[in-house]
Amino acid sequence: MSKAKKKAKQKEEWTPELLVFCCNWCSYAGADLAGVSRFQYPPNMRIIRVMCSGRVDPTFVLKALKDGADGVLITGCHIGDCHYISGNEYTRDRFKKLHEIIIKQLGIDGKRVRLEWVSASEGKRFADLITEFTNQIKELGPLKVF
Amino acid sequence: MRNLLKRCYQCGRCSGVCQLSKVQKYTPSKIIQLILEGFEDKVIESGVLWDCLTCNQCLKDCPEEINFADIVRMARWKMRHIANQNPDELIAHKGMYTTISEIMSRPYIQPERSLDWVSKGCKISDKGTTLYYVGCLPYFNYEFENSDSIAKSTLKILCQIENEPIVVFKDEICCGHDIYWGQGKLKTFIKLGKKNMEMFEKAGISKIVTACAECYRTFKVDYPGIFDDFNDKFEVKHIIEFIYDNWKQNKIKFKNPSESSERIPFTYHDPCRLSRFLPKDNNITEKTREIFKEFKRLGYDFKEMEHNKKNSLCCGVSSWMNCNEKSKALRYKRMLEAKAAGDIMLTSCPKCKIHLSCLQDDFEDIASIEIMDFSEFLVDHIEIINPDKDTEITE
């Protein structure tokens, strides 16, 4: 980003920048459904599609926070619905550890990193979830990592 | 870089002793010659120097004392910033711990580390003269269970010996060793250093004790290189030195709590940062040996491994770079030596402990060796000598 752009951005009102990891089989389809059904949700987030929520390494989350994301949301299929049978169970266990041991000890608010299950039929829920998460991050303010 | 290498007369000793050259094609002398002949750009472009273990064996045997590890460090900076190479694939654990260090270098981040590992009898405070610098141990808990037991036992030792409460920071940040050596991110390292200096000064620290070999080397050698007055302000000690000094001053003595008559053989793995990476007048390896000699009286048998002291083999990974089958081969070699020497293997670098014990899951024949940190081993073997009872000392 050029300097002029950065300055222009600073003058505007701050909006959070969120990163959402969606699994290919449930959550991404859920996001799709939200779009097709024209549910409105805030546009501050970027979606990264992964084949399974088990693909999301804790390092991805940390790197996102390091490089300027104000919040990270990981979404996957409900437990038991995973396309790869047990991928999301790994995510659940790993995420719990990440939350307790690393995010907390780094002094970053635990609310900024979240794990949710969204299935392909829950378009409405996806839209609501993004709205709620965005509002939550707005309340917390920017994560000043720079 | 060329000026540093001019003394090289291509004896090729570095390529002979290089620990990495035993498992892959890697020749420091050839790289030096290439740089001297003006092909520095090609060396940088090829990215071959990401592979270096930075174990410093080449400096130890170099007749002209060319510091190749320093060259590697500088080259890594150039590879990242000038050749725009990204070594993310090469970093062990997908760069998790180096990312943590980088996040900590940012000015607004204030870590809130859990102090669950502090045992009940220990007094700790925010301000004082003696600091116990824990390092990254609480974060290692993410993948390696029970890694803060090193911190626990070190603090126990410190509390027993010192009367005043020990300073342990809740918002302690990384020393920056891995960023400096492995990643070539000099700016981040300086940021971390400045933040650390400020914290130490604020708390009124005069003595820093650490149980990590890497933190020790960073504070002892690398920080004074950047901050001229670091050495005047703070005295840096490894827990081995701390115990040794107190033992020589007759403040503590060693005991053996178990009463079995069987002699237990044990051995010691010298981390590179404590053996080859320190200035020559630093004799911490000898101090360690003296303590172990004392243990012979207590029913332990100290045996040296085949490669020991300044020749000790590398654990295969330094500063979280390149954990692959080659480094595993190096580690396996080290573990076989340990197996020949004793049942217990001590080390004084938490990362060596992690790397070596990780391999035990893969190979059954070496699983029987117990790998312990120096402080974990000593915590039960220390007895305080009460200054009022002089008779005990003479006994």
Side-chain angles (χ1 to χ4, degrees):
Chain A
M1 204 186 288
S2 69
K3 269 188 185 170
K5 260 191 182 173
K6 248 187 190 172
K7 266 190 182 170
K9 217 185 166 192
Q10 275 174 1
K11 275 181 192 171
E12 290 169 24
E13 200 193 340
W14 173 78
T15 48
E17 282 181 15
L18 311 175
L19 192 69
V20 183
F21 289 100
C22 284
C23 94
N24 183 42
W25 303 102
C26 295
S27 314
Y28 198 77
D32 231 12
L33 185 65
V36 170
S37 329
R38 311 240 167 159
F39 296 130
Q40 298 288 321
Y41 59 81
N44 323 70
M45 54 100 172
R46 315 269 183 283
I47 291 184
I48 293 180
R49 178 167 66 159
V50 286
M51 287 312 279
C52 176
S53 55
R55 175 68 182 90
V56 182
D57 196 282
T59 318
F60 297 172
V61 177
L62 290 174
K63 280 197 177 157
L65 293 174
K66 187 195 96 187
D67 292 338
D70 298 302
V72 180
L73 176 67
I74 305 165
T75 55
C77 312
H78 287 273
I79 295 286
D81 287 351
C82 181
H83 189 79
Y84 305 100
I85 299 166
S86 59
N88 51 6
E89 288 169 19
Y90 288 117
T91 320
R92 182 188 56 192
D93 300 347
R94 208 186 280 157
F95 184 82
K96 198 178 154 220
K97 264 185 164 180
L98 170 78
H99 220 262
E100 278 171 9
I101 297 178
I102 294 184
I103 299 291
K104 213 173 155 193
Q105 291 201 66
L106 273 175
I108 294 172
D109 198 314
K111 284 178 196 154
R112 287 184 191 276
V113 184
R114 231 167 116 175
L115 176 68
E116 292 286 345
W117 311 125
V118 178
S119 86
S121 59
E122 294 175 328
K124 181 76 187 144
R125 186 174 131 73
F126 184 82
D128 291 347
L129 183 66
I130 298 293
T131 318
E132 189 213 325
F133 189 48
T134 313
N135 289 337
Q136 203 175 46
I137 300 292
K138 265 186 187 162
E139 264 172 43
L140 287 171
L143 173 66
K144 287 183 188 165
V145 285
F146 292 105
Chain B
M1 265 174 19
R2 277 178 72 180
N3 291 339
L4 291 164
L5 298 171
K6 268 182 185 159
R7 294 194 307 272
C8 175
Y9 54 75
Q10 285 293 309
C11 65
R13 222 181 275 186
C14 43
S15 304
V17 294
C18 177
Q19 303 197 359
L20 191 61
S21 73
K22 311 283 188 293
V23 287
Q24 79 171 68
K25 202 175 166 237
Y26 186 80
T27 43
S29 60
K30 203 171 157 190
I31 293 165
I32 291 174
Q33 188 65 15
L34 275 173
I35 294 172
L36 283 174
E37 283 173 14
F39 297 106
E40 191 183 314
D41 300 344
K42 279 202 172 163
V43 172
I44 301 259
E45 254 171 50
S46 71
V48 63
L49 290 175
W50 289 121
D51 287 351
C52 181
L53 297 172
T54 62
C55 68
N56 230 3
Q57 184 75 38
C58 39
L59 170 67
K60 194 243 142 196
D61 285 315
C62 183
E64 289 288 328
E65 293 185 359
I66 290 167
N67 198 336
F68 190 69
D70 259 356
I71 303 284
V72 171
R73 186 174 53 71
M74 280 182 244
R76 281 183 177 168
W77 183 84
K78 279 191 181 171
M79 283 195 280
R80 184 182 273 282
H81 291 99
I82 294 171
N84 284 325
Q85 290 172 11
N86 191 356
D88 277 1
E89 282 173 17
L90 303 171
I91 310 174
H93 301 268
K94 304 213 176 67
M96 173 132 192
Y97 299 106
T98 45
T99 314
I100 290 175
S101 315
E102 267 180 76
I103 292 179
M104 284 194 272
S105 76
R106 304 283 162 75
Y108 294 106
I109 292 289
Q110 277 225 331
E112 282 172 43
R113 297 154 65 115
S114 81
L115 296 175
D116 294 342
W117 49 269
V118 176
S119 33
K120 273 179 189 166
C122 297
K123 277 187 227 155
I124 56 167
S125 71
D126 304 339
K127 282 188 178 166
T129 52
T130 314
L131 165 76
Y132 170 42
Y133 189 84
V134 189
C136 317
L137 288 172
Y139 298 104
F140 289 166
N141 262 348
Y142 174 71
E143 268 163 304
F144 317 105
E145 276 173 25
N146 213 8
S147 51
D148 49 11
S149 76
I150 300 175
K152 197 175 170 182
S153 43
T154 310
L155 192 67
K156 254 189 198 168
I157 295 175
L158 286 173
C159 285
Q160 275 177 6
I161 297 171
E162 293 275 328
N163 295 324
E164 288 171 41
I166 307 290
V167 184
V168 176
F169 289 136
K170 207 172 166 110
D171 52 350
E172 185 188 295
I173 55 165
C174 175
C175 67
H177 170 276
D178 302 339
I179 301 267
Y180 185 58
W181 286 97
Q183 306 275 309
K185 289 182 179 166
L186 192 61
K187 265 190 190 167
T188 316
F189 177 68
I190 294 173
K191 265 189 214 163
L192 281 169
K194 275 185 187 158
K195 232 177 145 181
N196 264 325
M197 279 275 274
E198 261 173 41
M199 271 169 67
F200 294 161
E201 275 170 5
K202 230 187 201 171
I205 308 289
S206 64
K207 192 169 167 189
I208 304 168
V209 182
T210 172
C212 171
E214 292 181 332
C215 296
Y216 178 70
R217 142 86 201 189
T218 311
F219 288 142
K220 196 95 184 166
V221 186
D222 294 333
Y223 275 20
I226 293 169
F227 313 104
D228 296 331
D229 50 352
F230 190 84
N231 263 0
D232 307 332
K233 282 181 191 163
F234 313 108
E235 186 191 5
V236 186
K237 276 199 169 159
H238 195 273
I239 187 77
I240 297 177
E241 281 182 300
F242 186 80
I243 291 170
Y244 179 83
D245 289 351
N246 279 297
W247 175 50
K248 282 284 150 183
Q249 289 163 14
N250 272 329
K251 278 187 191 162
I252 55 169
K253 66 178 178 183
F254 302 115
K255 57 160 190 194
N256 188 358
S258 74
E259 279 162 16
S260 69
S261 57
E262 241 180 278
R263 293 185 79 79
I264 305 163
F266 75 106
T267 182
Y268 179 70
H269 165 74
D270 289 274
C272 53
R273 260 66 184 168
L274 282 189
S275 52
R276 294 183 289 266
F277 261 90
L278 293 173
K280 272 189 176 158
D281 54 334
N282 196 309
N283 54 352
I284 195 161
T285 48
E286 297 304 324
K287 284 177 185 171
T288 322
R289 296 307 187 281
E290 258 184 70
I291 294 176
F292 290 153
K293 244 183 218 169
E294 178 72 12
F295 269 82
K296 266 191 180 168
R297 285 199 307 112
L298 301 173
Y300 285 96
D301 253 343
F302 176 63
K303 280 183 195 158
E304 291 281 10
M305 280 189 257
E306 196 184 328
H307 294 87
N308 54 50
K309 290 181 191 170
K310 299 219 161 175
N311 284 323
S312 79
L313 292 184
C314 178
C315 68
V317 182
S318 72
S319 49
W320 297 121
M321 290 299 280
N322 301 311
C323 185
N324 48 25
E325 68 279 4
K326 287 154 196 157
S327 59
K328 271 193 180 171
L330 287 171
R331 257 175 269 169
Y332 187 61
K333 242 165 87 180
R334 190 54 168 168
M335 289 303 281
L336 285 184
E337 280 190 10
K339 203 185 176 191
D343 300 343
I344 302 175
M345 178 187 196
L346 299 188
T347 178
S348 43
C349 174
K351 279 186 195 157
C352 286
K353 188 191 161 198
I354 286 171
H355 299 320
L356 292 170
S357 47
C358 166
L359 193 74
Q360 286 186 313
D361 300 336
D362 297 352
F363 295 96
E364 268 183 21
D365 53 336
I366 49 168
S368 63
I369 308 165
E370 197 182 343
I371 304 173
M372 284 172 106
D373 193 79
F374 187 80
S375 54
E376 282 175 303
F377 180 67
L378 250 77
V379 70
D380 297 329
H381 295 83
I382 285 183
E383 201 178 283
I384 308 294
I385 297 173
N386 217 332
D388 306 332
K389 294 175 192 166
D390 283 349
T391 46
E392 262 190 32
I393 302 167
T394 47
E395 182 193 78

